């Protein structure tokens, strides 16, 4: 059963300097047209119900009130249990929040990244700290009681003190969920070119790891429990939608560039806004269709599942593949245990602290071919 739907809104006011997401700065006319075709795609799915819906981007809150209403009305028909919308400071207002409330959006994810305006500027974000606080407080006033805040470490020029301030101040806002990511310098971004020219002052690996373990310990002591390498929540407020990905379960993605995983096949929609619209018009929006072999499915199950702090259930592996996990991965598991990168307890195999620090080394072990 497909439980999760991802809806992509590929528009932003302005591109952040580090961002390689599929998002563009485009006119409101194109945005409105895009939503028309997005709704056509949603209506063609032939599914009545999704347990989780995640509207991400880009910046979903950039849409006009009218387009947002059309989209949310359509999505509310699926009666999702968890209905998340990504909201960026500077694009949120009372009318949009009222609309989200009335169509059942029950979880917001707001991107802050850093508490310091000088770092927000460095990242090319469109908002200031005050802009973020206005949005956050407005959402609370509208009764949203499940809010995620995104924060980021290893930002150029970010000191350890800056990071401590970000973590402590964000904790003080008492969000139900925090995602804490390390900045990744992606190719084809302005940051990539700046880094190549030696213009970015990034912290070294040891400090980056110290920043990571600081946020883990600080949030856990505050009752925000780590349930995935980069995600923390009050127990019961874990993001069910994202857990679908980490459990390697099926999902559908709609919109430009959105990925789907259905019946052992992965595919994506055309990436550009115009080519996506053209694709929906002609019934030809899908591309990159890949059939996943059982070997690949097992690999994905391992390296996605190990991102979860509880790790992989040996029983779930057996139920899904009809074979004992040790029959497939005994050599890899034993080697990683020897290296102190994974451990096993109560039927679960999980990363150790050292394994979290060296997670790529662990994940690569499960790649076949
Ligand atoms: S707001 Fe998010 S999606 Fe948009 S450019 Fe910035 S990082 Fe990328």
């Amino acid at each position: 059963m497909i439980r999760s739907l991802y809806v992509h809104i590929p528009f932003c006011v302005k591109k952040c300097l580090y961002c390689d997401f599929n998002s563009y700065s485009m006119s409101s006319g194109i945005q409105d047209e895009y939503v028309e075709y997005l709704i056509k795609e949603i209506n063609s799915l032939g599914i009545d119900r999704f347990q989780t819906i995640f509207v991400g981007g880009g910046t979903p809150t950039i849409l006009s009130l009218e387009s947002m209403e059309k989209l949310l009305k359509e999505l509310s028909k699926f009666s999702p249990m968890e209905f998340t919308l990504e909201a960026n400071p500077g694009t949120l207002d009372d009318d949009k929040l009222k609309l989200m409330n009335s169509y059942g959006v029950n979880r917001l994810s707001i991107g802050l990244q850093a508490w310091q305006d000088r770092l927000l500027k460095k990242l090319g974000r469109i908002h200031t700290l005050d802009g973020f606080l206005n949005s956050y407080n407005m959402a609370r006033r509208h009764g949203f009681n499940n809010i995620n805040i995104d924060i980021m470490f290893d930002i150029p020029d970010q000191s350890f003190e800056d990071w401590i301030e970000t973590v402590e101040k964000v904790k003080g806002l008492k969000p139900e969920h925090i995602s804490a990511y390390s900045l990744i310098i992606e190719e084809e971004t302005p940051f990539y070119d700046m880094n190549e020219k030696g213009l970015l002052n990034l912290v070294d690996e040891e400090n980056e790891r110290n920043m990571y373990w600081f946020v883990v310990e600080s949030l856990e002591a505050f009752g925000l429990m780590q349930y995935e390498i980069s995600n923390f929540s009050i127990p019961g407020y874990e993001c069910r939608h994202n857990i679908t990905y980490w459990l390697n379960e099926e999902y559908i993605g709609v919109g430009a560039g959105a990925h789907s995983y259905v019946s052992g096949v992965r595919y994506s929609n055309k990436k550009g806004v115009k080519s996506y619209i053209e694709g929906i018009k002609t019934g030809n929006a899908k591309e990159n269709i890949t059939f996943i072999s059982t070997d690949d499915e097992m690999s994905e199950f391992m390296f996605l599942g190990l991102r979860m702090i509880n790790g992989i259930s040996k029983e779930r592996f057996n139920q899904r593949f009809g074979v004992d996990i040790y029959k497939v991965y005994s050599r890899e598991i034993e080697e990683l245990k020897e290296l102190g990168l994974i451990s096993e307890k109560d039927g679960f195999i999980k990363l150790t602290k050292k394994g979290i620090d060296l997670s790529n080394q662990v994940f690569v072990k499960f790649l076949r071919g």
Side-chain angles (χ1 to χ4, degrees):
M1 183 184 139
I2 304 171
R3 295 186 314 167
S4 296
L5 175 70
Y6 173 76
V7 182
H8 192 67
I9 306 297
F11 306 112
C12 285
V13 175
K14 174 178 150 281
K15 207 72 184 154
C16 300
L17 297 172
Y18 59 93
C19 177
D20 77 333
F21 295 145
N22 188 32
S23 73
Y24 313 89
S25 171
M26 286 180 144
S27 73
S28 55
I30 294 184
Q31 293 177 22
D32 292 341
E33 188 187 359
Y34 174 81
V35 170
E36 298 293 332
Y37 286 92
L38 186 57
I39 290 172
K40 278 196 206 311
E41 190 187 9
I42 292 166
N43 285 333
S44 72
L45 294 176
I47 293 178
D48 298 334
R49 179 121 215 269
F50 286 104
Q51 289 180 10
T52 73
I53 295 182
F54 194 108
V55 186
T59 303
T61 41
I62 199 176
L63 294 178
S64 65
L65 207 57
E66 218 182 347
S67 282
M68 189 181 270
E69 173 150 30
K70 283 185 192 163
L71 177 62
L72 294 183
K73 193 172 177 184
E74 227 38 68
L75 294 175
S76 66
K77 292 179 187 159
F78 295 113
S79 316
M81 235 161 40
E82 181 188 272
F83 191 173
T84 304
L85 197 134
E86 276 183 350
N88 269 328
T91 56
L92 206 53
D93 60 32
D94 279 313
D95 290 339
K96 287 180 184 172
L97 284 161
K98 224 181 272 171
L99 206 61
M100 290 176 211
N101 242 333
S102 66
Y103 286 106
V105 173
N106 54 19
R107 184 171 184 274
L108 289 183
S109 179
I110 309 181
L112 165 64
Q113 315 312 346
W115 196 262
Q116 302 76 18
D117 283 344
R118 68 168 220 290
L119 295 182
L120 294 175
K121 202 166 165 199
K122 187 102 207 168
L123 291 168
R125 303 283 300 177
I126 58 161
H127 60 90
T128 57
L129 171 64
D130 278 350
F132 163 79
L133 289 172
N134 282 342
S135 298
Y136 183 82
N137 292 330
M138 209 191 299
R140 285 298 197 208
R141 278 200 304 279
H142 280 265
F144 284 93
N145 58 9
N146 187 359
I147 300 184
N148 167 62
I149 299 178
D150 285 335
I151 54 175
M152 195 184 264
F153 56 100
D154 201 9
I155 297 171
D157 296 338
Q158 182 185 39
S159 66
F160 208 95
E161 288 68 35
D162 289 330
W163 180 232
I164 293 173
E165 186 183 31
T166 296
V167 174
E168 294 302 322
K169 297 285 190 186
V170 167
K171 264 166 41 180
L173 297 173
K174 300 198 174 77
E176 287 70 27
H177 192 288
I178 292 180
S179 297
Y181 288 95
S182 168
L183 172 73
I184 308 286
I185 306 290
E186 304 283 2
E187 282 184 33
E188 292 177 31
T189 62
F191 263 16
Y192 186 84
D193 297 335
M194 288 161 81
N195 196 36
E196 290 289 288
K197 290 180 192 146
L199 298 175
L200 292 186
N201 175 26
L202 297 166
V203 299
D204 60 27
E205 206 179 318
E206 191 186 336
N207 263 316
E208 192 263 354
R209 287 292 83 198
N210 289 341
M211 285 174 152
Y212 176 76
W213 287 110
F214 170 77
V215 72
V216 171
E217 281 157 25
S218 172
L219 295 186
E220 290 219 331
F222 193 65
L224 285 158
M225 307 314 287
Q226 185 181 25
Y227 68 98
E228 192 266 349
I229 290 181
S230 306
N231 285 282
F232 307 81
S233 79
I234 295 175
Y237 286 83
E238 297 83 4
C239 178
R240 290 173 206 211
H241 184 87
N242 287 341
I243 289 175
T244 303
Y245 302 141
W246 298 317
L247 291 179
N248 199 24
E249 289 177 352
E250 294 184 313
Y251 57 88
I252 291 181
V254 291
H259 292 255
S260 299
Y261 178 38
V262 180
S263 305
V265 179
R266 289 193 185 274
Y267 60 87
S268 58
N269 278 344
K270 294 204 163 134
K271 210 173 160 200
V273 173
K274 290 195 174 142
S275 53
Y276 165 75
I277 290 176
E278 217 32 59
I280 295 294
K281 275 185 192 163
T282 56
N284 187 25
K286 294 183 183 30
E287 59 183 13
N288 302 320
I289 298 170
T290 312
F291 293 86
I292 304 296
S293 66
T294 305
D295 270 3
D296 288 343
E297 190 183 340
M298 285 179 180
S299 292
E300 291 175 356
F301 184 94
M302 295 303 287
F303 63 73
L304 289 168
L306 283 169
R307 294 194 62 89
M308 302 282 292
I309 294 305
N310 287 341
I312 283 166
S313 154
K314 291 195 294 179
E315 196 184 326
R316 264 195 79 240
F317 187 96
N318 202 329
Q319 279 167 0
R320 177 146 172 180
F321 299 107
V323 57
D324 188 273
I325 198 166
Y326 275 96
K327 283 236 158 70
V328 186
Y329 289 121
S330 62
R331 187 175 49 82
E332 290 83 352
I333 292 172
E334 292 308 340
E335 270 179 38
L336 291 166
K337 276 188 186 168
E338 286 275 302
L339 293 167
L341 298 175
I342 59 172
S343 64
E344 186 175 338
K345 199 178 167 204
D346 301 331
F348 281 80
I349 295 171
K350 62 178 199 166
L351 294 176
T352 58
K353 277 189 156 193
K354 186 176 167 194
I356 289 178
D357 279 339
L358 301 172
S359 55
N360 285 339
Q361 207 172 303
V362 176
F363 300 155
V364 93
K365 276 269 178 212
F366 295 103
L367 290 176
R368 290 273 164 94

